Amino acid sequence: MTAVDDRPTTSPEIGSARRRKEDQRLITGRTKWTDNIQLPGMLHLAMVRSPFAHAKIASIDTAEASAAPNVVRVFTGHDIADIQGVNITAWPISPDQKTPDHLPVPLERVSHTGEIVAVVVARSAAAARDAAELVDVDYEELPAILDLKEAANDAVLAHPDLGTNKSAFWQLDSAAQGSGGDVGEAIEKARQDGIVIEREYRQQRLIPAFMEPRSTVVDPTGEQVVMYSATQVPHILRFCIAATTGLPESKIRVIAPDVGGGFGGKLQSTPEEFATLAVARKLGKPCKYTETRSESMISAHHGRDQWQKLTLTAEKDGTVTGLKVDLMADLGAYAAIVGGGVPVLGAWMFNAIYKFPAYQFNCTTYYTNKTWVDAYRGAGRPEATFAIERLMDELAAEVGVDPLEIREKNWIKHDEFPFTSVAGMTYDSGNYEAATARAKELFGYDELRAEQKQRRESGDPVQLGIGVSTFTEMCGLAPSRVLGSLDYGAGGWESASIRMLATGTVEVITGASAHGQGHETAWSQIVADRLGVPFENVEVLHGDTQIAPKGMDTYGSRSLVVGGEALVRAADKVIEKAKKFAAHSLEASVDDIEFSAGQFTVRGTDKGVGISDLALAAFAAHDYPEDVEPSLDADATFDPVNFSFPHGTHLCAMEVDTETGATKMRKYVCVDDIGNIINPLIVEGQVHGGLVQGIAQALWEGAEYDEQGTLVSGSFVDYTLPTAADTISFVTDHTTSPATSNSLGTKGVGEAGTIASTPAVVNAIVDAVRDRGIDDIEMPCTPERVWKAIQSAGGRQGAGVTPTQQPHFDEGTPNQDPSAGTTDGAVQ
Amino acid sequence: MIPATFDYAAPTSVEEALSVLAEAGDDAKVLAGGQSLLPILRMRLNAPEKVVDLGRVEALRGVRDGGDHIAIGSMTPYSEVVGNALVQEHAGLLAKAVETVADPQIRHRGTVGGALVHADPAGDVGAPVLALDATMVVVGPGGERTVGAGEFFHDLFETAVADGELLTEIRIPKHTGWGSAYEKFVRVSHQWSIVAVAATVKAEGGTITEARVGLTNMGSTPLRATAVEQALVGKGTADLADACAAAAEGTNPPSDLNGDADYRRHLATVLTRRAVQHALGG
Ligand SMILES: Cc1cc2nc3c(=O)[nH]c(=O)nc-3n(C[C@H](O)[C@H](O)[C@H](O)COP(=O)(O)OP(=O)(O)OC[C@H]3O[C@@H](n4cnc5c(N)ncnc54)[C@H](O)[C@@H]3O)c2cc1C
C-alpha cells in the first residue's frame, strides 16, 4: 500500500562518499542566489561610502543625485534615523566594555573608510550607481588611528566620545579559577633554572573573501516584511532586526536562499542589510542592494588582526611548566556581532594538547579607524593554535630536539582521556600518538629530514624545512550554559523537525542554515539510515525563518555536532511514535515492536510494516491508536553539554629558495581525528578548502592599509587570494576517536584545516632557515620577507656546490649557475 | 561594478574604425580583448563616450610569415600566439612570455596589441617585444607609420599610439634557432609580474654569440638590459653570473606590497641569470 518504495538496500548511508545533492544547482548557478531575485516593482540601491577613515559629516547635498534620471530618492542617515536600528554586538566580553553605537548609516561621523553615508534608490542598479557619484558630501577630516599598538596609547582616538580606544579586558587565570597553578611563579622559577621562551607574533588582518558578494532584497509589501539576504545567520539576523528597529519579530521573515560561502564573513547583521530594510520600509517598495567586490573588501568584516605576546616556560628537559598570553586585538571601528568574543574564544586553546600546569590568558580589545573585525574561519582558535604551535617549535629548538619529540613529551596521552585542561575544558576523546604516527608514515618524515640535512650540508641554495602542527580545537558552538556564563547574548542549541509525508517522502527541517557546506546531503544520509528510507526521498529544508522557525545557524563547526544530534533525536521521536502505529496495525503490544531498516516487526514473528505505510496511515487517520495524535512528525532541540574537540597532526615540507626568498610547498600531510565521518567526500572538501585558507594566511593574504586609512589591498590584484594553481595535492587521512558529546560520535571539521595549517607552513619555512639564526618571519611570509630575513641574518656561503646537488623549484631545472657561488649581496 | 553609459561601435575594417574614431574625437576608446579596459570602465576610472570594438576587424587577427620577420595582427589573442607555429619557431621568447599571462580565460580574450597599447610595465608582452627588436605598425588619419619597439613605450600607460590611431601589426624579426626563456616572479599564479626577465640567446657550442634581455616591471616602461646583452657575448653556462650582475643598473623599479625597489633589483639579477641559463638549455 505504499506510494513510494521502501528503501531497497540496507547498505549504510552514513560513511558513504555520496556526491552532494545540492551541487548541480549550486555549480550551474541555476538557483536562487539573492541577486537573482526579481520582485515586481523592485528598486535598486547604491551606497555612497566614505573615502576617509575618520571624518565629521559636515553636510550632504543630495539635490543633484535626486534629480538624476530614474532616481527615486536619496536617503541620508537622518532620513531613516527613526527606523534604521543599530548593528549590535552579542558578546560584551566585560561588564564595562566600551561599545560605540554602530548606526548602519551614521549621522554625524564616519569611523572607517567605506562606511555608508547615503543610500541612492533608483529604478535600475546602473541609474543608482550613476547618481551615487552625484551625491556631494562635505567631510571634515579627523585624525585617524590605524595602528593597533598606537591605538593602545590613546593619543588619537577612533571614537573621541569614548575617551579611549580600549574596549575591554578579559582574563583567564588557571590559579584564580582553580584549574591550574600560578603562571607568575612558573615564570619566576623558569628564569632561575629552566627555559623561558618569549615571543611576539603578529596575526595579520585577513579578508574572508567569500565567493558570492553580499546581497539583500527587502520586500515590505506584505503583512510581514521579507528580507532575502546572502547571510549565514537568518535566525540571528531576524533577532537583531526585531531587537533594534521596532519591527515585531513576528512581522519579520528572513530568507537566506542559496548562499555562496561565508567563512564567518556572513555571520553578521550588516549596515547594508539594515539600510536596505529601512529604505524599503520608507518607500513601501521592494528594494535590492548587491555589493561590488571592491565594496565587499572594505565594508564586510575582516578577520584576525592581533599582536600576541607569549611567554612559555619549561624545565631544562623541555617539560612545559607555564604559558602566559597577552593579546592585543583590533576590533576595527566597531564591536561586531561576536566582536571581542572572537579573540576570547582563543582563551581555551593556547594551551592546546599540552599539559601546562599553569596558564594565564589576557586579552585587551581596541578600536581603530579600520573596517570592523569579526569571525573568520576558525575565529580565535587559529590565532591560538598558531601561537602555541610556533612556540613548541621554538622550545624544541631551544632544547635541541625534534619538534615532534617535544610535543610528545608534553601532550595528553590517549589513555588520559577525558582530560580537563589547565584552561578548564574537558577534552572528551582523542589519540595524538595515533594521528602523529600515521602522519609521519604518510609524510616520509625521516627521509625528508635526511634530505634537509643533506641540503644544509651541501649549501644548497634551495633549503628544505619541515613544519609540524599537532593541533586541537574546540568547536560545535556551544553549550548554552557556558555561553550564558560568558555573557554571550544567545544560546548554542540547535533544532530539527521531521515531517513524514503521506506519499513516503520525508521533509527534514534544520535550523543550521547551510551556505555551501553540504548539509542537504549529510542530513539526508543521517535520516535515511535512522528511519530506513531511501536517501533520495529525504528533502532538507533550511534558511527561511518561516520554514525553519528555530535555529542558531551555521558557524563554529557546529552544524553536524549540534544540529545533526537534534536531527537524530527528532528521528528517534518519529520512531517512537510510529511504534504505536505499528503495534496498532500489527495487533501487537508496543513492547514487542522492533525497528530496523525502515521495518517495524513483531518480535519473534515475520509480521511487519514499513515506516512509509505508517506515515500514510497516520495521514489518512482512518484507523489509529486511541491515545495518540494522528501524526508521526517530531521536533527536537539539542543543547550540547560539551564542545567538540577535533585534533590532528599536520606535517608540511617547504622549499625555500634562499636566492629569492620564494617558498614552495613540497608536501603536506594531515591526519585529522574528527570522530565518526558521515560523508568522507564532504569531509575531504572541508579539509582541502580549510587547508588552503590556512596556508593562504601563512603565505599570501594580508589586508594592508596606507597612512590615510585606505585599504591598499582592496582588490584581488593586491589581496593575493590563492587559486588551485597555487596549491599542491594534499595527503589526507583520519584516525577515529568518536566524540562522546553526541550520539553520532562526530566532531566538527569545518574549520580544522584552517586552524591547523597556518603554523605548519610557517614552522616549515622557519625550520628551513633556522640554522642561519632566524626564528621568525612575519605572515604572510612573502618572498621579500623571507629574503630580507636571510639577508639580515647574514647568509651562508653556498660555494662548492655541484649542479646535481641543486634541485630547483621547477623540477629538473638547475637553480643556480654552479660556478657563480652565492648571490647574496649581489644587489648592493 | 557598472560602467557609466557609453555608445558602442563595432566596425569591420580598419578604415571604418579610423573614421569612427575620427568622428568621436577625444571621447572614444578602442576596445580589444577588454581585459584591461573593462576593469577600468567598471571601476569608473575612465568613462569614454564611445567604445570602438575591434573584435570584428578580421584583418587585424592572425600571424603571417613576412619573409625576414613574422607579422602578428594586433587583435590576435594570447591563446593563438602561444600555440602558433610561426611564433614558436621564430619568436619563441614571445610565446613563452605570453604563456605566463594571467589564466586561460584571460589569455583567450586578451590581445597582444591591447597589451602593448595599454603599456602596463608589469605586463608580460612588452619586455619580449622589446628584446626581439620588434617594429610596430601604427595607422591613423595621416596614414601608416612604423615605430621601433625602443621608441614605442613612452611612460606608464603611454605609447607612441596617439588618440585616433590604431596599432595594427607587430613585426618581429625572425630569431630562428635562438634559445629563449621568460622568468616570471610572482607570489600567486594569476598575478602580474613582480619582476620578470625575458632572455633570448644565440649560441654556438655553448658560447653565446648574441643575447637580448628585456625586463618587466623594473621601471615605468619595459626595459632592455643592453649592458648585460653585451657582457653575455662569449659567455657560457658556467660564467653567467658576472655578466648578469648589472641587470638592474639604471632601473627604477616600483615599491609595493610585493616588494620594495631594492628587492626587485636583486630579483632582476637572479632572474636574468636564470633566464639566460634556461635560454641556453640549462
Ligand atoms: C585578472 C587579470 C589578470 C591579468 N594578469 C596579467 C598578467 O599576468 N600579465 C599581463 O601581461 N597581463 C595581465 N592582464 C592584462 C591582460 O594582459 C590584458 O588583456 C592586456 O593588458 C590588454 O589587452 P586587451 O586585448 O584585453 O586590451 P583592452 O583591455 O581591450 O585594451 C587595453 C587598452 O589598449 C587600447 N587598445 C587596444 N587595442 C588597441 C589597438 N589595436 N590600437 C590602439 N589602441 C588599442 C584600448 O583602448 C585600451 O586603452 C591581466 C588582466 C586581468 C583582468
Side-chain angles (χ1 to χ4, degrees), chain A residues 20-37 211-216 227-234 254-262 266 512-520 539-544:
Chain A
R20 309 196 322 174
K21 52 161 77 170
E22 51 270 70
D23 276 354
Q24 191 185 4
R25 67 172 205 273
L26 296 182
I27 290 171
T28 60
R30 289 180 182 278
T31 186
K32 272 214 169 70
W33 307 110
T34 302
D35 191 50
N36 290 349
I37 291 167
M211 191 175 283
E212 178 207 20
R214 297 170 308 161
S215 179
T216 299
M227 175 186 282
Y228 303 83
S229 197
T231 179
Q232 287 175 235
V233 290
V254 176
I255 302 174
D258 278 329
V259 176
K266 291 176 183 164
S513 182
H515 43 283
Q517 290 86 351
H519 292 16
E520 290 171 39
E539 192 72 27
V540 179
L541 307 174
H542 60 84
D544 179 342

Side-chain angles (χ1 to χ4, degrees), chain B residues 13-77:
Chain B
S13 70
V14 173
E15 297 69 40
E16 195 192 339
L18 287 174
S19 75
V20 175
L21 281 173
E23 227 170 85
D26 288 355
D27 295 325
K29 215 49 184 136
V30 171
L31 173 70
Q35 298 307 295
S36 293
L37 185 61
L38 287 190
I40 288 169
L41 299 188
R42 286 163 65 89
M43 293 169 103
R44 296 198 175 214
L45 301 172
N46 197 337
E49 271 168 23
K50 187 160 217 153
V51 169
V52 182
D53 183 353
L54 299 183
R56 292 182 204 167
V57 185
E58 280 304 322
L60 291 179
R61 197 169 162 145
V63 184
R64 63 182 175 82
D65 194 332
D68 62 343
H69 66 273
I70 58 166
I72 303 174
S74 60
M75 284 296 291
T76 314

